[in-house]
Amino acid sequence: MGFNLNVITDVLSQLGSNGIVPIGLFIIGLIFRMKIGDALRAALTGAVGMVGMNLTTDMLVAQMEPATTAMVERLGWNLDIVDTGWSLMSYAWGSPVGGLLILVGIGLNLLLLATNFTKTLMIDFWNYWSFLACGAIIYGATESVLWAVVATAIYMTITWKWSDWVAPIFQEASGMEGCTWPTGAVIAPAMIGFPVIKLCQKIPGLKDVKADPETLQEKLGIFGETMVMGAIIGVIIGILAGFDPIHVFLLGVNVGAVMVLLPRMISIMMEGLLPISNAAQEFCEKRLHGKKIWIGIDASTLMGNPCNMTVIMLMTPIVTIMSIIPGNRMLAVASLVAVPWFIIPLAYYAKDNILHTLIAAIVVFAVYFWCATALAAAHTNIAYICGSLDSTNTLTSCLSEGGNPITWIIYKILQIFNQTVV
């Protein structure tokens, strides 16, 4: 059984999101009685959108990360926890409990569906890694399979229930009926950011600020267009990084291009997802007596919102600057690849108000910085267990999932009851 579980996690890890998405969509399409040709077309269309989306996001990271790194070097900051970015993903899949947690997750999702606790059918198998990361960190903290399983199950249950509650907001704003976005990368920031946005919407003066992309475009003309704003932000970051004029110009052009390309890639992916979502609803109406099932998909499908894109560009350098907040010991550089996924849930709830979204994002990242610092010892230990570190002398951590507050709360509870080894 252990060998088989390791094979499963290894295959899923190698396939990545680009490989898992078409397979998952095709299987789900067949389950919901779509014709083979229709299911295949929908799955491949969704995959094309996903590939284009990932290529565009990779382009954004390739442009922004060197600029931010250069900016940090100019400032001369030095903190003692090393930011390892997406490396936690490999620990999630490759930890001693990774394969077991996949089976626990699938079984738990079906159980929660059957008992009507949730409407979410989690087909976004690649993003199971966010749940596996929780299990990996708790295993690193406790070296206990039991506590890793319990923690992951709690994390999944909270995430899927919250995804039910917030899905209607995202469905209405994006037009993607019958879908939900049930990953920790979206739900935990929403749990922190939504109350902040609600407060912004009640504070006199602040609540009346019109900062949506349409209003800005009306006031600023061409300089308020998403593409032009992206180019301007890119130029400013290039100047702060100390780039020469040619590279400053190229950074502006490439960031502007991302602002145009990403929404178009997402619209392609939606062409594939919606037929499957509609088939799921028809299936439930006919065979499950109208039972509601929402298809859990990748949160990247929400990224193309203009407010989202603008705040993502603004927050990329701000996140690095936030590394010096009191109580944090990690310099955020590698984790900048994850910035978009923190912003995704906030813009829709803020009704596209860029200022409110930005304020909420700053609060969200502050919490993640503190949690990433607190979980550094556990993060370092699981890296050592997985063979990525020769010793635990140098502390490592990251923002995405490495600073997830749900994981931190579980860790603190276990620590209070003396169940942790680090």
Side-chain angles (χ1 to χ4, degrees):
M1 176 63 75
F3 172 78
N4 290 334
L5 292 178
N6 289 336
V7 169
I8 291 171
T9 55
D10 184 56
V11 169
L12 289 174
S13 179
Q14 291 184 52
L15 281 172
S17 60
N18 290 347
I20 292 173
V21 165
I23 295 172
L25 290 177
F26 180 67
I27 292 173
I28 293 296
L30 294 181
I31 290 174
F32 291 130
R33 303 299 178 89
M34 291 180 71
K35 296 179 181 178
I36 292 178
D38 292 340
L40 181 61
R41 183 181 297 107
L44 289 177
T45 302
V48 168
M50 173 65 77
V51 170
M53 194 162 48
N54 287 338
L55 287 173
T56 307
T57 305
D58 290 344
M59 175 184 171
L60 171 63
V61 172
Q63 296 296 320
M64 297 294 281
E65 188 172 2
T68 308
T69 301
M71 184 177 68
V72 168
E73 290 174 353
R74 294 184 78 197
L75 294 171
W77 292 341
N78 185 25
L79 298 169
D80 68 324
I81 297 176
V82 178
D83 178 10
T84 57
W86 285 127
S87 63
L88 181 54
M89 193 178 294
S90 64
Y91 312 152
W93 292 110
S95 76
V97 291
L100 174 61
L101 294 180
I102 290 174
L103 297 181
V104 169
I106 294 173
L108 180 62
N109 188 213
L110 295 176
L111 175 63
L112 296 179
L113 273 170
T115 56
N116 295 318
F117 181 85
T118 183
K119 302 173 186 175
T120 296
L121 175 61
M122 180 67 172
I123 69 163
D124 184 13
F125 295 112
W126 171 250
N127 278 310
Y128 264 94
W129 86 265
S130 64
F131 307 130
L132 271 56
C134 170
I137 288 177
I138 296 302
Y139 185 83
T142 64
E143 297 184 6
S144 164
V145 174
L146 173 63
W147 288 126
V149 170
V150 170
T152 305
I154 292 171
Y155 184 15
M156 289 173 169
T157 302
I158 293 171
T159 300
W160 291 333
K161 191 61 180 178
W162 255 78
S163 71
D164 286 350
W165 291 335
V166 302
I169 299 170
F170 300 150
Q171 289 172 1
E172 181 180 359
S174 67
M176 300 177 69
E177 295 183 9
C179 295
T180 186
W181 296 265
T183 61
V186 169
I187 297 305
M191 294 171 73
I192 302 166
F194 282 17
V196 177
I197 293 169
K198 197 71 175 176
L199 182 62
C200 289
Q201 293 170 341
K202 292 184 176 181
I203 296 176
L206 184 58
K207 69 178 182 179
D208 299 319
V209 174
K210 300 291 185 183
D212 59 277
E214 291 76 14
T215 301
L216 291 179
Q217 187 168 341
E218 287 178 9
K219 292 181 178 180
L220 300 176
I222 188 174
F223 296 102
E225 292 182 11
T226 305
M227 177 180 63
V228 178
M229 288 181 66
I232 292 172
I233 293 169
V235 166
I236 293 172
I237 292 173
I239 293 171
L240 292 174
F243 285 0
D244 60 69
I246 291 177
H247 285 91
V248 168
F249 172 73
L250 291 175
L251 181 60
V253 171
N254 288 326
V255 173
V258 170
M259 301 287 272
V260 175
L261 293 174
L262 193 57
R264 296 188 182 180
M265 293 303 103
I266 291 171
S267 67
I268 293 174
M269 188 173 185
M270 287 173 61
E271 290 178 22
L273 292 172
L274 291 180
I276 295 175
S277 175
N278 292 335
Q281 298 307 317
E282 291 177 11
F283 180 89
C284 293
E285 289 291 335
K286 292 179 181 178
R287 294 177 172 82
L288 299 179
H289 308 292
K291 180 185 177 72
K292 282 276 187 184
I293 290 182
W294 288 338
I295 305 300
I297 58 176
D298 195 299
S300 301
T301 54
L302 295 172
M303 197 185 299
N305 175 287
C307 175
N308 256 327
M309 296 299 298
T310 302
V311 177
I312 287 168
M313 299 302 169
L314 292 171
M315 282 303 301
T316 298
I318 290 174
V319 167
T320 298
I321 295 170
M322 286 181 66
S323 298
I324 61 173
I325 63 173
N328 173 61
R329 294 163 51 195
M330 183 184 73
L331 178 61
V333 177
S335 284
L336 295 179
V337 298
V339 167
W341 284 268
F342 289 84
I343 311 300
I344 283 171
L346 305 178
Y348 290 106
Y349 190 74
K351 298 180 180 177
D352 291 343
N353 188 302
I354 293 172
L355 179 59
H356 295 174
T357 305
L358 189 65
I359 293 171
I362 290 171
V363 174
V364 168
F365 277 103
V367 172
Y368 268 77
F369 269 118
W370 293 323
C371 291
T373 296
L375 291 169
H379 185 284
T380 304
N381 196 37
I382 192 61
Y384 175 73
I385 290 170
C386 291
S388 295
L389 294 177
D390 295 330
S391 72
T392 57
N393 294 331
T394 300
L395 288 175
T396 64
S397 195
C398 64
L399 288 177
S400 181
E401 296 309 323
N404 192 293
I406 300 174
T407 303
W408 175 78
I409 291 170
I410 296 171
Y411 168 77
K412 290 303 292 183
I413 293 172
L414 292 172
Q415 193 177 53
I416 290 170
F417 288 96
N418 297 316
Q419 296 300 311
T420 59
V421 296
V422 296

